[in-house]
Amino acid sequence: QSTAMLILVYKSSQCLPCHFCRVCLNELASDVVVEVGDISFHLHKFPLINRSSTLQKLIAESTTSSDDQDGGKPCTVQLDDLPGGAAAFRLVAKFCYDVQFELNAANVVPVRCAAERLGMAGEGNLAAHAEAFFVRDVLGSWDAAVRALQACDDGDDGVRQLAEDLLLAPRCIESLAAKACADPTLFGWPMVENYTARCVDAAAAPVMWNGISTYGKPRSPGAGWWYRQASSLRLPLYKRLISEMRSRGMSPEGIAGSLAHYARRHLSGLNRRDVGGGGASDTTSSDGVVGEQRVLLEEIVALLPAEKGVTTTRFLLGMLRTATVLHAGAACRDALERRAGEQLEEAALEDLLIPNTSYSTDTLYDVDCMQRMLEQFLLSNTTAYADHLPEITADEAPPGELMPASTVAKLVDGYLAEVGTDANLKCSQFQQILALVPDYARSLDDGLYRAIDIFIKAHPWLTESEREQLCRLMNCQKLSLEACTHAAQNERLPLRVVVQVLFFEQLRLRTTVASWFFVGDNNAAAADQGSPRSSRPRKSRTGEVDFGTGSENNDHEEVEVYTPGSSSEPASAMSVPGIQQRVVDLEGECSSMRQEMHRLGKPKGALSRLFRKLGLSGGGRPSSSRQQGQLPSSGEEKRSRFLDLGC
C-alpha cells in the first residue's frame, strides 16, 4: 500500500496534501482507485458514495465485478470524460473528505461542471457551494467574470458543453456587457489604474476609499477601460460579448474601439509596414497560421459598425493592407475599401501605399484599390462633383463643403507622385486617377504638375501624344510662379504645354502691371485733387486704360505715381522709376523665354508669330512703327514700353 501511494505521488504533480495521504496510509487502507486520465487516486468508498450519486453507481458496478474476479483487491473506477480532468477531481475529492480548499474565479467553472457530472447536487453539496460562489463573487466583479469566462473556453469539450448547459458562460457575458455599458464610476470597486497615479504635489491630501487612505491620484478610467481584458478572450466568446453589448446599447465608437484593440493584439501583420513572405521551407508550416489570421480578420470586419466615422481611416487601411497580404475574401476587401473610401479625407499618404500581391499586374502598389476608394469617395460626398460650387483660389481657404475634396486632391497628387516612379505603372491607370479629381478641388496645380513630371521622367518611352494627354489634365493658369519657371525650362514637357505656360504667364504679367497703373494713378489723383494740371488715365469703352490723355504742358515733367505723405497710399504703391526698373526686368525675362524657345529647335518663323501674338516684337524691343513720327514725352515713352510688351 505504501508503494502504491508513493507511485501515486510520483505520477501525479497534483497529488493530495501530505496530511491527507497520511490519513489514507495510517488509519484505513484505500479500497477504491479512481483513474482520471493518466492519474490514479487511491481513495475510500464511503466518503465518495456519500457525496456523489454517480460515483456510488460506478463503485457498486466495479465492486461486483472485482469480487467475482480478484476477491479483496481495491475496485477501479474510470473517469476519463470528467470535465476539468484530474485538477477538478482533486478538488472534488477534498470536498468529499471535508478538506478545506479555495474556490476562485479560475477553478469554479470546472468544479461546478465536475460536480454536475458526478451528481453532487442537493443542499450543502459541492454543486450548491460552487453555484453560490459563482453568483456572489464571480458575477459581481469584472475581473472575476473575465477569468471565469476564459475558464469556460480554456477547458476541455466537457467543460465548454456543461458551461453552456448550466448557463455559466451566458451569465458571464451578460454581466460583462452590463458593466461595460454602464458608467464605470458607479461601481463599488476601484477600476484598473484609477488609483495608481502618484500625486504630483507631495502636500496634497490622500484619497480616501472605503476608509482606506491612499496617496494615489484618482482619475477617470476612460471609455475604453474594458478593451484590454475583453481582448484576452478567444474569438467565439468575444463575438458573443460584442453582440450582447450592441444589444444593450453600446455606442458604435465603443464597439469600434474594442474591435481595433482586439485586431492589433491578435493580427500579427497589422502594425508592420512591410510584411515579408517566408521562403519555401516555412510556407507549409505557416499555412495554418495564415488561415487562422485570415478567418480572424474577416470576422472582425464583419463585426465593424456600419456608421461612418466611428472607425479611424488609419485602422481601416491597415486592415485592408493585411487583408491584401493574407488574400482575404473579396467581400471582406470590398467592405474595407468602401468604408475607407467614404472617409478618404482623413487618410495619410503612407497608409495608402498598399502593396500589390496580385499576379495579374506587376506594379509595386495596388493602384486599382486606390482608384476604387477614390470613386467611393466621390459617390459618398455629393459636394465633390457639384458643378455650381465655386473654385478654390490660392488666396483663400476652401469653404467647408469643399474642404474634403481639397484634402483628397492633395492626397491624390502626393500618391501619384509616389507611385509614378514605378516603371510598370501604365499611363492609362495614371490618367484615370488624375481624371477622377474635379478641377475646382485644387487651388494650385503645382502638386499635379509635380506628379506628371515624375511620371514622365520615370517613363521616357512615352510618345508626344501621350505626354500631351497627361498634361491636358493640368490647368496651366493654376501654376505658381515657381512652377511656371520650372515648366518653361522643362525639356520633358511637350512644346504646346510650354507655350501655354508662357502665354498665361504673360497674361498674368499684363494684369499685374495694369493694376500698378490703376493704383498709382488713383493715388496721384487723390493727392492732386483740385489741380487743373493733374493728369490721370481714363477707361475707354473697351475697358482698356488710356494713359495718353494728360495735359500737353506736362509732357516733360517727372510725375510721381503716389504721394509719400498721403495717408491713403497702399503699401504696394510704386513710383515711376520703380515701375521702369520692373519693366526692364520683365523685358529680360521675356528675352530669356524667347531664347529658350529658340533652343527647343522650332522654326524661327513660328516663334516670331508666337511672340507677335503675345505682344512682343522680334527682339523683345519696341517695334519700329512706334519709333516713327514725333518723339513722345517721357511719360508716354514709359507707357509705350508697357504696350510693346503686350501689357
Side-chain angles (χ1 to χ4, degrees):
Q1 295 174 354
S2 300
T3 303
M5 181 56 68
L6 290 176
I7 293 176
L8 169 63
V9 175
Y10 177 77
K11 290 175 63 178
S12 173
S13 60
Q14 298 179 348
C15 61
L16 300 177
C18 294
H19 67 276
F20 184 71
C21 295
R22 285 195 297 269
V23 171
C24 294
L25 288 175
N26 297 334
E27 296 185 0
L28 187 63
S30 63
D31 54 1
V32 61
V33 178
V34 180
E35 295 182 354
V36 183
D38 296 334
I39 300 178
S40 299
F41 294 88
H42 293 254
L43 303 173
H44 303 90
K45 296 179 181 179
F46 181 74
L48 298 180
I49 63 177
N50 191 34
R51 293 289 188 179
S52 172
S53 60
T54 302
L55 286 176
Q56 181 180 7
K57 179 180 179 181
L58 293 175
I59 290 174
E61 295 176 354
S62 178
T63 302
T64 303
S65 60
S66 62
D67 289 343
D68 296 339
Q69 297 177 3
D70 299 333
K73 287 187 178 181
C75 64
T76 302
V77 176
Q78 298 286 342
L79 293 177
D80 294 333
D81 59 344
L82 182 68
F89 185 78
R90 175 174 174 269
L91 299 178
V92 170
K94 283 186 176 183
F95 181 81
C96 293
Y97 281 89
D98 291 332
V99 177
Q100 186 177 2
F101 67 96
E102 180 184 2
L103 278 177
N104 53 48
N107 61 22
V108 66
V109 172
V111 167
R112 176 69 179 87
C113 295
E116 186 70 20
R117 177 64 60 86
L118 294 176
M120 303 179 69
E123 185 178 357
N125 212 337
L126 182 58
H129 281 287
E131 183 68 24
F133 178 84
F134 180 80
V135 175
R136 181 184 65 251
D137 296 334
V138 173
L139 297 182
S141 170
W142 170 272
D143 295 337
V146 171
R147 290 196 298 270
L149 190 57
Q150 290 173 341
C152 294
D153 193 51
D154 293 341
D156 50 25
D157 294 338
V159 172
R160 283 192 288 269
Q161 183 62 37
L162 276 177
E164 295 295 334
D165 296 340
L166 298 175
L167 302 180
L168 300 179
R171 283 185 287 176
C172 287
I173 292 175
E174 292 175 0
S175 176
L176 293 175
K179 290 178 175 60
C181 295
D183 187 359
T185 60
L186 299 179
F187 295 114
W189 67 89
M191 301 307 298
V192 179
E193 299 181 350
N194 194 23
Y195 290 90
T196 58
R198 306 297 297 178
C199 292
V200 179
D201 188 4
V207 177
M208 302 298 296
W209 178 77
N210 282 358
I212 302 175
S213 176
T214 63
Y215 287 88
K217 183 179 180 181
R219 59 186 180 186
S220 175
W225 60 269
W226 54 275
Y227 292 171
R228 182 180 61 84
Q229 289 182 306
S231 63
S232 64
L233 300 174
R234 293 186 180 180
L235 183 60
L237 289 179
Y238 179 77
K239 289 173 57 179
R240 294 171 59 183
L241 178 61
I242 292 298
S243 300
E244 182 66 24
M245 289 180 178
R246 183 179 281 121
S247 65
R248 288 178 176 267
M250 170 66 71
S251 64
E253 292 80 6
I255 293 178
S258 177
L259 289 170
H261 192 279
Y262 192 89
R264 293 189 184 99
R265 180 169 180 173
H266 295 280
L267 288 177
S268 58
L270 184 58
N271 295 324
R272 290 183 293 181
R273 308 306 307 168
D274 296 325
V275 183
S281 60
D282 60 348
T283 301
T284 304
S285 61
S286 62
D287 286 343
V289 177
V290 171
E292 294 176 358
Q293 294 276 291
R294 185 189 305 115
V295 172
L296 176 61
L297 185 141
E298 293 175 352
E299 293 288 350
I300 293 176
V301 172
L303 290 174
L304 287 175
E307 291 79 1
K308 177 183 177 182
V310 297
T311 308
T312 61
T313 308
R314 186 180 186 88
F315 170 72
L316 292 174
L317 292 175
M319 292 284 287
L320 181 57
R321 185 191 312 109
T322 307
T324 303
V325 174
L326 295 177
H327 299 284
C332 175
R333 285 181 289 178
D334 292 343
L336 289 172
E337 289 178 0
R338 177 178 54 81
R339 293 172 185 268
E342 291 176 352
Q343 48 195 48
L344 191 60
E345 70 276 6
E346 302 175 2
L349 176 58
E350 60 178 4
D351 298 326
L352 293 174
L353 300 176
I354 300 175
N356 181 26
T357 59
S358 175
Y359 298 103
S360 59
T361 56
D362 298 330
T363 56
L364 182 61
Y365 299 106
D366 195 348
V367 182
D368 295 334
C369 176
M370 177 61 186
Q371 180 177 347
R372 290 191 295 267
M373 288 191 293
L374 184 57
E375 292 173 351
Q376 180 63 36
F377 171 79
L378 297 176
L379 290 176
S380 60
N381 295 269
T382 55
T383 58
Y385 49 85
D387 296 334
H388 64 280
L389 293 175
E391 291 189 358
I392 304 174
T393 60
D395 300 333
E396 58 184 8
E401 62 271 16
L402 290 182
M403 184 63 73
S406 176
T407 304
V408 170
K410 295 179 181 178
L411 194 64
V412 171
D413 294 344
Y415 178 82
L416 292 177
E418 190 70 26
V419 303
T421 57
D422 187 3
N424 294 322
L425 181 62
K426 296 180 180 179
C427 182
S428 59
Q429 293 177 303
F430 189 88
Q431 190 173 357
Q432 287 173 0
I433 297 180
L434 277 183
L436 287 176
V437 181
D439 183 64
Y440 63 81
R442 296 184 178 94
S443 58
L444 289 175
D445 278 8
D446 290 6
L448 180 57
Y449 165 68
R450 176 174 174 267
I452 293 176
D453 185 44
I454 290 176
F455 182 80
I456 294 177
K457 182 178 180 181
H459 300 74
W461 54 84
L462 293 178
T463 62
E464 189 75 10
S465 61
E466 290 176 337
R467 299 186 184 190
E468 288 185 0
Q469 289 178 359
L470 284 177
C471 294
R472 285 174 186 172
L473 301 173
M474 176 181 60
N475 190 351
C476 297
Q477 301 183 55
K478 288 188 176 183
L479 295 179
S480 64
L481 180 60
E482 293 79 5
C484 287
T485 304
H486 186 276
Q489 303 174 1
N490 193 345
E491 299 179 355
R492 292 182 292 270
L493 295 182
L495 180 60
R496 184 187 300 273
V497 178
V498 176
V499 171
Q500 290 179 357
V501 171
L502 295 175
F503 175 74
F504 289 117
E505 183 63 18
Q506 182 70 14
L507 291 181
R508 186 182 304 175
L509 294 176
R510 175 184 297 180
T511 305
T512 303
V513 173
S515 65
W516 288 346
F517 275 107
F518 277 120
V519 173
D521 290 334
N522 289 338
N523 291 334
D528 300 337
Q529 188 175 7
S531 174
R533 302 178 60 185
S534 62
S535 176
R536 66 190 180 202
R538 298 193 308 266
K539 271 191 176 181
S540 64
R541 294 182 180 178
T542 61
E544 297 181 354
V545 182
D546 186 4
F547 295 100
T549 58
S551 175
E552 296 180 359
N553 299 328
N554 294 337
D555 290 342
H556 302 284
E557 292 182 2
E558 186 70 22
V559 180
E560 293 292 337
V561 178
Y562 69 96
T563 304
S566 175
S567 59
S568 61
E569 66 175 18
S572 61
M574 297 182 61
S575 61
V576 170
I579 296 178
Q580 183 179 6
Q581 181 62 35
R582 178 59 178 167
V583 170
V584 174
D585 296 339
L586 295 178
E587 287 180 346
E589 293 179 4
C590 293
S591 178
S592 300
M593 294 179 184
R594 181 175 58 83
Q595 294 175 3
E596 184 66 22
M597 296 294 294
H598 279 288
R599 192 174 63 83
L600 293 176
K602 292 297 179 179
K604 185 175 181 181
L607 292 176
S608 301
R609 290 194 299 271
L610 169 64
F611 279 98
R612 281 199 298 271
K613 288 183 178 181
L614 297 179
L616 299 175
S617 60
R621 299 174 183 174
S623 60
S624 59
S625 61
R626 295 189 177 274
Q627 297 177 0
Q628 298 176 358
Q630 185 180 359
L631 292 176
S633 61
S634 60
E636 292 177 350
E637 181 181 359
K638 295 168 185 175
R639 296 186 182 99
S640 66
R641 297 177 67 183
F642 284 103
L643 296 177
D644 290 337
L645 288 175
C647 300

